[in-house]
Amino acid sequence: MFMLILLGGAAAFFVVAMIMAASSSKKQGQGGGKSSSASRSKPSGSSSSGSSSASRREDLRLPYRYADDMIFVHGDSVWTGIVLPNAIDEYLNAGELQAMAEGPARGLLNLARGDRNVECHYRKVYQPITALTWAEELNAVAWEPTENYKAYNLRKAEYQERIGAKRERNILLVKLGSLKRTSGGGSGVVSQDDEPFDEPGLLQGVRGTADQAAATATGVADEHLSPYVIAEWAQVAGEVHESLEGLKGSPLTREELVWLIRKPLHGDLPVPPEPVLGSRAWGPNQFDLVVDFSGENRKTHIVLHQYDEVTGEQQTSYTTTLVAANWPAETRFRQSTAWARYAAQHVDFPVEIDMRFTLIPYLRFKDRADKIRGNLVDEMNDMANSGRTPDTKLGSQVTRAQELVDDIEEHKMPGMEAQIRFTISAPDVKELERRRRILEMQFKQDLKVTLLRPTRQQWRLLQSQLPGDAPKLPIAPYLRLQEVEQLGAGLPTAGTELGDNPEQRSGKRLGWVGNLVGWAGKMPVHYSLHVGPARNDGGGLAIVGASGGGKSSLALQKFYEESESGVRCLVIDPKTDFAQLCYYLAFGSQVNDPAFAADAESGVLGTPASHFQPVNPEFWAETEVVDLLKGQAGVLDPWVIARDVPAGRLLAESMLRGFLGDEDYQRVRLPVIEAMATVIGRYNSAIRQAVEQGHTARDAELAVPRPTLWQVVDEVVAAYDHAVASGDREAQKDLKLAQMLLTELRTLPYARLSFAEHPQPLSSMRKRRTVITLRGFQSPAASDPRNWNPAERLAATALMAVVELGSQMLDVGYEKNPVTGEVGLRPKALFVDEAYVVTATESGRDLMRRALKQGRSYLAVTVLITQQAIDLVQIEDSEARSGGANQIHTVFAFKQKSAQEASLVAPLLGRPENDPKVIAALQELRTGVCLQRDADKRVGTVAVDLVFQEILAATDTNGTTRPARQGINPPVSVWDWTFLQEAEEDPARTAAPATAAA
């Protein structure tokens, strides 16, 4: 057996021919040897029963004649295709699952409104992910990618292709009607009288002597389909797509159709992507070779041969198709046993589904059901009349038939006649048989479904998988007359797709597919920080989980990826985990030297004053680590941090309240407010005076120093001294405590960062990575700020000020893109570790709301890394109550220690706080596994994949395993990095059995 499939190009002709060697005398589909040349009869569409080889060859043609991005013509039949999106169902509740199951039925009911049968074809296939294309596109959208970043994505593409990552494709094909009107009515979505069709003469044969000679030699004739007729059929297809819009599918494109034709003929071999294999002029138009293969039709399977285009090496795959021969009489809808979902998610190898079905209008369906019931009743009566007792099986069949008739009559619903087939492929016969036995056993044990492999019908079953009209099969007993809901009950579109999903809005593509972060089942999960804002979603990412669950590893991985892509990243790093990643990737194993920490704290790493020099100078040159506690006093003065003076006053109040605690602040609030008013009054007077002297308002703001918190304290002290000097005892009583508490703040750890006579801001953040550390920072032990001790209040308030500082540092103007030369907003990211310390207070939550809202406008994403989710839920809830959209576009939730903690995380995932599936899952998650809620509000389980041994070492925050893993210098070039799968041994295993996670 030898097949060529040819697809028309310039005039959108679509011709497919199957050729057998002239010396072969075997019938269609029964095999045959390959031949380097063969003749074909003209594809006129006429049939012949003659015995000539030309007639036999004509019978073997596969009659694809036309294809575009809306319809295709197969023989005289016109079809359209819809690509159905996968919908993850892992954590849906019963009501949501029911709605998901009813979705396909509602769509199909719209197709069966007429008086004709409608032929449909559902295919579930697996398409290898073209990861190289993904990597190239991702590198192309990066603002200023380093060479290592480009290599990083290309290596990850290699990794995905090496492990055979595949994407489920669910495709529904619908027969629209026929180009030729025939007796008997046929099938279609419109009445026969309304079908567009070709008038005689519109199909033009071979034109010219040269074309006729070419057609005689090749067996391929040039055809012409009327553009008018094509346009009318395209309109019919558009109406079908509108009626099925509830399925949220997209039209099957010509490129996707070509792939769908090729797929059954490749088995488990890779299917070559577009463009087509080769081209050649066939008369006045161009025809393209779509498929070129040879095969052997065995009794129980098909042997498919493909040839490597470069080496000419033969590649072989073995494929077989099984038919669902026996189903349970009654089945209860359950997620775990939905037949299509089960085949996709509970079998360890790819199982493709091929379901041919005919939608039957209500009256025809009722008539069919009545006849079936009548036949069963007659059989029961015959048995009774002959003195035999009808068995219980027949009795139950009569009962079910009656129930079906009653149901049809009550709901006036159409039905369907269907046959479900399952195809498996393997590289050899032994593996094929192993997979067949497993599939049959699992379906029998778990679904109570009997699968049968028809013998001597495998070629016809393979042909039936091709889009378009199917060959007649002598296995009609396995057809099932059933309700339309049975398709949806199989959950055919249930999948595990999560992560970035670009949208099409008003003809514009929003978003892209970001970096690989892990796997949802067999599907890769990609995520980029700025895909959310690109799709007009919120500017926040939340990574939540208990210590040791893996949240820090994911956050550190994203920090590395985003900063290398050109995103300007600022990190608030109280635990120094991010600084440690930078140190390791820049200095390698030197980080284990006892003297390294001292130079890091002194800020002299990489300078002539340090013994430690970077092994990756390029990485270190784009990195800045700032230790605030070692820095100068006043760097966190509220008026230095804030956008303007009024915002500085609000921040000053929040910081003083945080430093002193609510009770003490209320006792000194009046003197503080009066002091602030005095200081701000002097500032405003100086501004007015500068303007009167001829300065512009902008120049005046630059010339006049802003108020400072030091001045506020001085003003309180001055007021107290005045009260003492004037003998005002009442004023002394109020001011004494205020001046005592405020002057003490100037000297306390953390608080002193907010006080200086002449505070200076930090230098502008211009590098790829800026990490602000607070070495020695102690996170509050309690989640409720009312239970914090004075030291914890000081630390938490300082951290809030640092976050405010960070959000202002990211607020920069437009820049020229160094890659494209275009002017625009550079993407930015603010990472906040231990975010619960900030969000625990109302002022901190207000700060985060502002940062998240501004993120979309400034293209700045805020990444919140925290052990506690309740405060983030409050932020989201407040936005929802005010009518705003969620500002956190994606959530990664790692292991929770208790059901109570899990119930607080569930709303952040968009699930009810009492959702038992989510609460149980969050407590049972393994290290490095999380639940993700993506920008499309889909929720599923993701296993984070660090991919490289070097990233595993860099993101290790476990003090036991980190020294061993970071005892090896990471290669400067990512091209020399090692896949975790290829690593000979994990250095940490010789040091301790623990794994790195935090």
Side-chain angles (χ1 to χ4, degrees):
M1 181 172 61
F2 181 68
M3 177 178 283
L4 293 175
I5 296 185
L6 300 146
L7 180 142
F13 297 128
F14 198 63
V15 180
V16 180
M18 174 180 163
I19 314 163
M20 289 185 67
S23 60
S24 173
S25 60
K26 294 188 177 182
K27 294 182 180 180
Q28 174 182 354
Q30 289 186 335
K34 287 198 307 176
S35 173
S36 59
S37 64
S39 61
R40 288 159 287 184
S41 61
K42 293 193 301 180
S44 61
S46 62
S47 61
S48 172
S49 58
S51 59
S52 67
S53 61
S55 296
R56 288 197 303 274
R57 287 191 297 273
E58 175 65 21
D59 290 342
L60 291 174
R61 288 190 58 237
L62 298 179
Y64 291 92
R65 295 165 57 189
Y66 176 86
D68 58 26
D69 287 346
M70 183 61 75
I71 65 171
F72 66 93
V73 179
H74 183 265
D76 293 324
S77 299
V78 185
W79 292 72
T80 190
I82 302 169
V83 181
L84 304 176
N86 285 340
I88 190 163
D89 66 326
E90 188 176 4
Y91 294 103
L92 300 184
N93 58 37
E96 292 166 328
L97 281 172
Q98 187 68 31
M100 182 179 180
E102 292 173 352
R106 285 195 297 268
L108 294 176
L109 288 175
N110 291 331
L111 292 181
R113 300 292 185 191
D115 58 356
R116 303 174 73 192
N117 292 348
V118 179
E119 294 182 36
C120 299
H121 186 191
Y122 165 72
R123 294 276 286 131
K124 180 186 282 290
V125 291
Y126 297 89
Q127 185 173 17
I129 295 172
T130 52
L132 179 60
T133 302
W134 155 77
E136 292 173 343
E137 292 178 351
L138 182 57
N139 288 339
V141 300
W143 177 270
E144 187 182 6
T146 64
E147 291 303 314
N148 261 352
Y149 178 77
K150 297 176 185 177
Y152 182 84
N153 289 324
L154 291 172
R155 292 289 311 281
K156 281 199 170 184
E158 175 193 349
Y159 171 76
Q160 292 179 71
E161 293 183 353
R162 181 180 297 187
I163 64 177
K166 292 180 172 62
R167 174 174 288 111
E168 286 183 24
R169 305 285 284 169
N170 293 288
I171 298 167
L172 177 65
L173 304 170
V174 179
K175 183 177 178 179
L176 304 177
S178 176
L179 291 172
K180 292 185 177 180
R181 296 180 176 176
T182 58
S183 60
S187 60
V189 296
V190 295
S191 65
Q192 190 172 21
D193 293 338
D194 294 334
E195 285 185 335
F197 70 101
D198 271 328
E199 298 287 351
L202 288 179
L203 285 177
Q204 299 179 5
V206 179
R207 291 173 288 188
T209 304
D211 295 339
Q212 187 169 1
T216 301
T218 64
V220 179
D222 179 27
E223 289 188 284
H224 175 76
L225 298 178
S226 165
Y228 169 78
V229 172
I230 293 297
E232 285 200 321
W233 278 114
Q235 183 176 351
V236 173
E239 293 170 356
V240 168
H241 285 263
E242 288 181 8
S243 70
L244 296 174
E245 64 181 355
L247 300 181
K248 300 181 181 179
S250 58
L252 181 74
T253 66
R254 175 186 179 277
E255 179 181 352
E256 291 169 325
L257 176 66
V258 169
W259 184 88
L260 196 61
I261 293 171
R262 291 171 170 173
K263 182 64 184 75
L265 308 176
H266 283 74
D268 69 333
L269 298 175
V271 179
E274 284 266 313
V276 291
L277 302 181
S279 299
R280 177 179 174 183
W282 299 90
N285 297 294
Q286 189 79 13
F287 288 85
D288 292 324
L289 180 62
V290 174
V291 168
D292 182 3
F293 89 104
S294 64
E296 304 168 36
N297 185 10
R298 303 287 178 83
K299 181 179 178 180
T300 59
H301 60 272
I302 299 291
V303 184
L304 302 170
H305 300 300
Q306 292 290 341
Y307 299 88
D308 188 282
E309 296 178 43
V310 178
T311 65
E313 179 184 356
Q314 176 178 288
Q315 299 173 319
T316 301
S317 180
Y318 299 80
T319 186
T320 190
T321 300
L322 290 77
V323 178
N326 185 33
W327 294 77
E330 296 182 3
T331 56
R332 181 187 299 271
F333 171 67
R334 288 191 301 168
Q335 181 184 24
S336 60
T337 56
W339 57 269
R341 181 186 188 275
Y342 182 90
Q345 300 186 25
H346 291 273
V347 182
D348 290 336
F349 44 84
V351 179
E352 298 186 352
I353 300 175
D354 179 55
M355 180 178 178
R356 292 271 184 175
F357 61 96
T358 301
L359 297 175
I360 307 172
Y362 156 64
L363 291 177
R364 293 189 180 190
F365 188 37
K366 180 176 180 297
D367 182 61
R368 291 279 298 276
D370 276 331
K371 289 181 179 179
I372 292 173
R373 179 194 58 179
N375 291 337
L376 291 171
V377 170
D378 289 343
E379 183 178 351
M380 178 176 285
N381 292 336
D382 290 343
M383 292 179 68
N385 293 334
S386 64
R388 292 177 296 163
T389 301
D391 57 26
T392 56
K393 181 178 180 181
L394 179 59
S396 63
Q397 289 176 337
V398 171
T399 300
R400 289 196 304 272
Q402 183 62 54
E403 290 173 349
L404 177 61
V405 171
D406 294 341
D407 210 21
I408 295 172
E409 183 62 34
E410 179 182 355
H411 298 100
K412 303 293 188 292
M413 62 182 185
M416 65 189 297
E417 188 175 54
Q419 186 178 80
I420 304 174
R421 301 183 282 259
F422 302 90
T423 299
I424 52 177
S425 301
D428 56 62
V429 174
K430 183 178 180 181
E431 176 62 19
L432 184 71
E433 288 302 298
R434 186 190 72 85
R435 294 182 179 185
R436 176 191 62 81
R437 289 192 298 270
I438 290 175
L439 186 63
E440 291 177 348
M441 179 185 66
Q442 288 191 211
F443 264 63
K444 187 66 175 178
Q445 290 181 351
D446 298 339
L447 306 185
K448 313 305 179 189
V449 174
T450 301
L451 299 183
L452 174 71
R453 175 167 61 178
T455 58
R456 304 188 186 281
Q457 296 298 324
Q458 288 297 315
W459 167 238
R460 287 180 179 270
L461 289 169
L462 184 69
Q463 279 184 293
S464 184
Q465 297 175 39
L466 297 171
D469 294 336
K472 292 183 179 180
L473 294 166
I475 48 177
Y478 305 128
L479 289 172
R480 283 167 51 94
L481 188 67
Q482 58 194 24
E483 299 168 343
V484 176
E485 286 80 0
Q486 291 301 316
L487 174 62
L491 297 179
T493 60
T496 57
E497 284 197 11
L498 276 173
D500 291 340
N501 181 28
E503 282 188 299
Q504 293 289 338
R505 295 184 190 173
S506 303
K508 184 178 179 181
R509 188 173 189 256
L510 301 180
W512 56 90
V513 180
N515 305 101
L516 174 71
V517 296
W519 301 85
K522 304 172 186 176
M523 285 291 300
V525 178
H526 298 88
Y527 173 70
S528 175
L529 294 184
H530 290 83
V531 167
R535 292 180 42 178
N536 295 319
D537 291 323
L541 163 66
I543 304 177
V544 301
S547 178
K551 68 179 185 297
S552 292
S553 293
L554 175 61
L556 291 166
Q557 180 186 30
K558 290 308 302 174
F559 166 64
Y560 170 78
E561 293 169 348
E562 300 292 341
S563 64
E564 287 291 281
S565 75
V567 175
R568 184 165 287 148
C569 294
L570 174 63
V571 183
I572 312 303
D573 185 25
K575 297 184 300 184
T576 71
D577 290 339
F578 289 82
Q580 185 67 27
L581 175 141
C582 295
Y583 291 149
Y584 174 66
L585 291 178
F587 293 90
S589 61
Q590 298 176 86
V591 297
N592 288 335
D593 191 301
F596 185 87
D599 279 16
E601 291 184 20
S602 302
V604 298
L605 289 174
T607 69
S610 175
H611 170 70
F612 303 102
Q613 299 300 313
V615 296
N616 190 337
E618 182 180 347
F619 183 88
W620 184 243
E622 286 289 340
T623 303
E624 184 171 5
V625 179
V626 179
D627 188 347
L628 278 185
L629 295 184
K630 296 290 184 181
Q632 57 187 0
V635 72
L636 295 183
D637 185 287
W639 279 283
V640 170
I641 295 174
R643 192 185 308 274
D644 51 38
V645 171
R649 173 175 177 170
L650 293 176
L651 180 59
E653 282 199 67
S654 295
M655 292 176 64
L656 289 175
R657 182 189 301 273
F659 285 142
L660 298 174
D662 284 336
E663 183 178 346
D664 281 347
Y665 181 71
Q666 289 300 324
R667 295 167 65 184
V668 303
R669 182 175 181 274
L670 184 59
V672 168
I673 294 300
E674 291 176 349
M676 285 186 184
T678 301
V679 170
I680 294 174
R682 285 201 297 265
Y683 169 79
N684 290 335
S685 296
I687 290 289
R688 287 193 298 271
Q689 184 176 0
V691 171
E692 291 171 358
Q693 293 174 354
H695 292 280
T696 65
R698 176 62 176 165
D699 289 341
E701 289 180 0
L702 294 176
V704 177
R706 285 187 177 187
T708 67
L709 208 53
W710 186 280
Q711 293 172 355
V712 172
V713 176
D714 277 352
E715 193 63 32
V716 172
V717 172
Y720 173 71
D721 291 342
H722 176 73
V724 171
S726 62
D728 188 342
R729 293 182 177 273
E730 189 65 28
Q732 290 181 44
K733 182 179 178 181
D734 294 334
L735 290 167
K736 182 177 181 179
L737 179 63
Q739 64 89 24
M740 181 181 68
L741 292 176
L742 293 177
T743 53
E744 184 183 21
L745 278 181
R746 289 175 170 175
T747 63
L748 293 178
Y750 299 111
R752 73 172 187 84
L753 297 174
S754 302
F755 296 92
E757 291 188 69
H758 304 289
Q760 297 295 321
L762 288 177
S763 58
S764 297
M765 187 191 71
R766 308 303 297 176
K767 295 185 178 182
R768 292 179 181 272
R769 292 167 288 273
T770 299
V771 180
I772 299 178
T773 69
L774 291 88
R775 295 181 187 274
F777 178 86
Q778 294 295 323
S779 300
S783 58
D784 189 341
R786 292 172 298 184
N787 298 326
W788 291 351
N789 61 41
E792 290 173 336
R793 285 201 308 270
L794 293 174
T797 304
L799 185 61
M800 184 189 72
V802 174
V803 173
E804 177 71 39
L805 170 65
S807 64
Q808 298 304 322
M809 290 176 69
L810 288 174
D811 180 15
V812 297
Y814 288 87
E815 299 180 33
K816 179 181 288 187
N817 187 310
V819 176
T820 65
E822 299 177 358
V823 175
L825 283 171
R826 180 170 187 150
K828 299 165 285 292
L830 172 63
F831 289 76
V832 183
D833 201 0
E834 302 291 344
Y836 78 93
V837 178
V838 178
T839 59
T841 63
E842 185 56 40
S843 57
R845 289 193 289 273
D846 285 340
L847 168 60
M848 294 310 345
R849 291 187 189 101
R850 294 197 306 273
L852 292 171
K853 286 182 178 180
Q854 294 170 358
R856 185 163 53 188
S857 301
Y858 292 115
L859 208 57
V861 172
T862 300
V863 182
L864 303 172
I865 309 154
T866 181
Q867 297 185 31
Q868 301 174 15
I870 180 61
D871 302 321
L872 303 185
V873 173
Q874 291 177 359
I875 292 174
E876 291 285 77
D877 286 347
S878 66
E879 289 299 308
R881 287 194 298 270
S882 64
N886 285 350
Q887 298 301 324
I888 299 176
H889 66 260
T890 297
V891 176
F892 292 96
F894 288 83
K895 182 178 177 64
Q896 301 295 310
K897 292 182 178 179
S898 68
Q900 182 181 4
E901 291 178 349
S903 68
L904 298 176
V905 174
L908 201 59
L909 294 168
R911 309 306 303 167
E913 63 180 10
N914 60 349
D915 189 315
K917 293 171 66 175
V918 171
I919 291 174
L922 286 169
Q923 296 177 84
E924 296 168 1
L925 291 172
R926 305 186 314 275
T927 298
V929 179
C930 63
L931 267 59
Q932 179 188 5
R933 188 205 80 196
D934 66 11
D936 291 310
K937 308 300 184 288
R938 300 175 297 186
V939 179
T941 303
V942 176
V944 175
D945 191 347
L946 301 178
V947 179
F948 296 105
Q949 187 175 20
E950 289 74 13
I951 292 296
L952 173 64
T955 61
D956 192 341
T957 60
N958 186 301
T960 302
T961 58
R962 182 169 60 194
R965 286 184 172 141
Q966 295 189 355
I968 303 172
N969 284 337
V972 173
S973 173
V974 171
W975 288 112
D976 299 323
W977 284 11
T978 303
F979 290 135
L980 285 171
Q981 289 184 332
E982 297 177 346
E984 295 181 358
E985 185 178 0
D986 182 359
R989 290 184 179 178
T990 61
T995 57

